[in-house]
Amino acid sequence: MNDPLSLDGCAPEPLMGYLKALGVLRLVSEQKDPDARGFWEDGVFKLTTALDRDGLVKFFRDEYKPTSLLAPWNGGSGFYVKLDLDGFLESGGKEVAFKDRDVVSAINAIESSDVERLIHCGNQIRETKNALGTLAERVDFVVALAEPLSQWPGATTKAAQKKVKDDATKILNTMMLFRSGEDTFSIGKAAKDEFVSDLRGKVLTDDGLFWLDAALAMRTGQKKNRTESPTLGSGGNIGNSDFSARFAQMLPKVMPVSNGKPLPVGSALWLDAALFGTPAPQLDKASVDQFDPGKAGGANGTQGMEADPTLNPWDYLLMMEGALALAGNTSRRLGAGRAAASFPFVVESSPAGHGSIGSDNTRGEAWLPLWTAPTLFGEVKLLLSEGRAEVGRVRAWSGLTFAQAVAGLGVDRGIGSFVRYEFQERLGQSYIATPVGRFDVPSTPVAGIELVRALNPLINSLQMVADEKAPARFATSLRRIESAVFDFCKYSRNKDDGKDRLAAILAALGSAERELAVGDTKPDKRRTRRPLAGLVAGWLTAANDGSTEFRLARSIAFLQSGTKDTGPARQYLEPVEYNAKFRSWAWGERGGHVVWGSGDLARNLGAVVVRRLMDAEKKGEPIPPFGSPFPAALSDISAFLYCETDDEKLEELLWGLSLVDRGAEWELPISGGPVAVPRAYALMKLTLLPGRLRWEPGLNGDTVLRLSRPSVDEAPSGIAVKPEPAIAAKLRAGDVQGACEVAARRLRASGFSLIGGFLADGAHRDIDWASGETSPERLLAALLLPIPDVAVNQLADLVLRRPSAETLV
């Protein structure tokens, strides 16, 4: 076996290059070297074969036998003619003539060829024509046109003649005209589905079935009994361009169709260019259809105003031969109750992962595998026909779920990466296969992929919202979620990357929930049956990106309900109600408890503080309900107070984390070292703690301030500092000093001694509590943030006088 041949003309992009590689491997394996193997390396296709470079060229130039690519189900396939309608009408139906068509001439030339390697194609064409004659109905044009047009030969006025021609054109457009000898037959386009079934059972031989299986997949028991592969247009054609017909037109350009004829000029150079990427002069001005957008021509296609399309005939032939490896089959989707036609790695379009204009302008997308080990064509064909791409136990159905399948290793082993193509609309119903990225297969499943897979029902529900003529912001939110999921699947190759990208997904989900909460006020008018919810507790660990914003958002999102049922923090963000019995969320009325508005984060958090204090007082809470299983470290609170946090990220994570069910998750309190928080914050926070304060002897003979949380059955001990609503009112008015003075009075009334002492006359010494560089709004917002119990003593160091250990009873 020789060293692998590097086929530089067969790259994974564009689609033409990928299909050419399949074509070379298939033809060499089936017609010359059964032991040939192929694989992808360094962005090109490698061929391991007994043939050397010259032998490979000689095989295609002198021995290659083209496959019979026939598409008699398409009007442009070369089997059907077009009536010269103008002449027919002018003669009053007496002269029947047909227009010259190059595709018909190409099919006829191959049918009559005496070249050995084309004889089997000619036989298949003849068999197909003979069978078409048995399926079609003979056409009497005078009867076909006169009956519905009511004596059209008598039309004398221009208006009448125009109507006759228009009506005649409509009639002829409903049938495909087929010539056999001197007779003309028609096959109605309305019966195309049934006709394709007849072709499989009555017309095409095994050789001819290759192309039918690549272009169409048949199924029974459904309204539409065929599915068309977007990889090959709409059943082997795009608009009026039929791929099999162009294949027939390209054959005479590279090989003689009659014995004794020389090799066409340019064929050898074109073959070298197709295989090895060498320069190819004097290319044809022919359409490349959807397979190589860069050579499609058109406006801005060159340095001038417009470029002509260019096509290497060998490129097209090898590409079509390779396309046969993408034959469809009928498989039963796991989790579905009926059979569905499928094509290799073809799914619905997802706009995530690239800059597509949107799935409404696409025909689907294909994820084509790049394998790295030398592989026989039979193995490649099996991979392409039966290869798996599964999300859990369900087949991937969209670009987004295909990315999840790859990230979770729900694909066959041996695939190094996938090249992704989207079939985008260009002009009218003309589509192009646009490469939209490469997706590498990880060595191990991406950590957290099971959490992402569980989001698919939620994403589907949001898609339904976006489809219900909802404002554009819903579609934007959905696109952001899908992009975050796609990026997670594609780029998370280590634990830290995964956490960052899972946090980005949470933020996108939070943004979407906020959009859902805006607008409609009545529960029965909501666009979704329920608010978004139900994310498992695993998100709290998996999405913890180690950021200050995540920790602060988590501490707020999981504010504990009070002993008198002062509710969770989410009720202040949006009009929702929590059903403890069923552990579910539902839309509620937008009452005064929803205080989150369009203002900045600090203002909204401050509004929550005020409202939560009102609710606690109304319900008679014995202690302020400001505790959390995830308290915020003083260092994080300091970063928030001094504007060192990303408030937009923090807000979105707060909304996203409000969708998570906490379960039994909690975090151990952390003490940390000395932290620079303003004295004003320390003073006011000591009046708003979820427990009772008590001085206790410390280990080194000092006293420490402890926060105790007695249970319902336990006798309370320590001092319960009553909240002062006036503190929040002063801060909202911008009076930090006044708010601190209120807090100082409350602490003194509770038995605590503040720093500063007394004057000679016994009055309290005035202290400038308001010194610092933090705003009143952020001070008020920071009061919402739960702190660890062990941090209480650090706050005491800033504002309280410690009693001596001897004075403690």
Side-chain angles (χ1 to χ4, degrees), residues 339-377:
S342 64
F343 288 92
F345 304 116
V346 174
V347 292
E348 299 173 4
S349 291
S350 293
H354 62 90
S356 168
I357 56 178
S359 58
D360 290 341
N361 301 90
T362 66
R363 182 176 274 162
E365 57 184 62
W367 291 59
L368 301 181
L370 305 179
W371 58 96
T372 55
T375 307
L376 293 168
F377 175 71

Side-chain angles (χ1 to χ4, degrees), residues 499-701:
K499 288 182 177 294
D500 290 343
R501 299 190 184 282
L502 286 171
I505 294 173
L506 266 185
L509 289 168
S511 178
E513 175 63 13
R514 183 170 184 179
E515 294 299 340
L516 288 173
V518 174
D520 299 335
T521 58
K522 300 294 184 181
D524 59 343
K525 291 186 178 180
R526 287 283 168 183
R527 288 189 171 86
T528 56
R529 294 182 180 178
R530 293 180 180 177
L532 302 183
L535 272 63
V536 298
W539 280 92
L540 297 177
T541 301
N544 186 351
D545 59 359
S547 66
T548 298
E549 291 80 7
F550 185 92
R551 292 190 294 269
L552 292 177
R554 183 182 56 178
S555 69
I556 301 169
F558 292 99
L559 279 173
Q560 292 171 318
S561 299
T563 57
K564 301 295 184 178
D565 293 329
T566 300
R570 185 174 180 179
Q571 66 181 354
Y572 304 111
L573 306 182
E574 54 182 332
V576 292
E577 297 174 351
Y578 183 70
N579 188 318
K581 180 178 179 180
F582 297 102
R583 301 182 65 183
S584 63
W585 292 89
W587 294 114
E589 299 289 346
R590 184 180 291 274
H593 61 281
V594 179
V595 296
W596 205 274
S598 58
D600 61 21
L601 174 67
R603 184 173 301 176
N604 282 323
L605 291 177
V608 174
V609 173
V610 174
R611 182 66 199 195
R612 194 162 182 83
L613 285 172
M614 292 174 57
D615 291 346
E617 183 178 9
K618 182 178 179 180
K619 291 179 178 292
E621 295 284 2
I623 59 175
F626 286 86
S628 172
F630 304 103
L634 289 183
S635 57
D636 291 337
I637 295 174
S638 176
F640 173 79
L641 284 168
Y642 291 110
C643 301
E644 297 171 358
T645 53
D646 183 342
D647 285 359
E648 182 179 357
K649 177 181 178 181
L650 198 162
E651 180 174 4
E652 289 181 341
L653 283 174
L654 170 58
W655 280 81
L657 286 165
S658 70
L659 312 180
V660 178
D661 295 333
R662 183 178 69 87
E665 297 278 334
W666 64 288
E667 189 168 275
L668 290 173
I670 52 177
S671 57
V675 177
V677 294
R679 290 181 183 273
Y681 166 76
L683 184 68
M684 291 183 284
K685 187 61 179 176
L686 287 173
T687 70
L688 206 62
L689 295 173
R692 304 173 73 90
L693 295 173
R694 181 176 66 246
W695 290 108
E696 295 180 355
L699 296 177
N700 57 359

